Amino acid sequence: MKQRCEACDFPLTLTDSDFCCERCGAHYVRQAHCPECHQPLQVLKACGATDYFCPHGHGLISKKRVEFSR
């Protein structure tokens, strides 16, 4: 499902830190969710790398599998 801007209903673009609307410039915080249990993930940052950990028993989650929502 494509995320849409609340202000102008334009599709949002996912950046490294948030969702951004190219039409009106609005920014929205992004939240990483586990693809297994759909619960929020812990974001682990060290030495320039970003990893995702599910505290609900699914361990480390690959960046390719993370579900992002706002």
Side-chain angles (χ1 to χ4, degrees):
M1 181 172 91
K2 191 86 167 158
Q3 300 287 332
R4 300 191 74 79
C5 179
E6 292 176 6
C8 68
D9 201 40
F10 195 75
L12 296 174
T13 303
L14 180 62
T15 67
D16 288 339
S17 60
D18 60 5
F19 285 101
C20 178
C21 178
E22 294 177 2
R23 180 184 284 168
C24 71
H27 290 268
Y28 301 94
V29 176
R30 72 178 188 166
Q31 176 67 49
H33 292 275
C34 176
E36 305 294 326
C37 64
H38 309 290
Q39 296 296 316
L41 295 173
Q42 292 178 353
V43 180
L44 310 171
K45 293 185 179 186
C47 300
T50 302
D51 294 308
Y52 300 92
F53 178 77
C54 179
H56 306 284
H58 297 107
L60 285 174
I61 304 295
S62 166
K63 290 178 232 181
K64 294 177 183 177
R65 297 184 55 226
V66 172
E67 297 174 348
F68 290 103
S69 66
R70 58 182 175 104

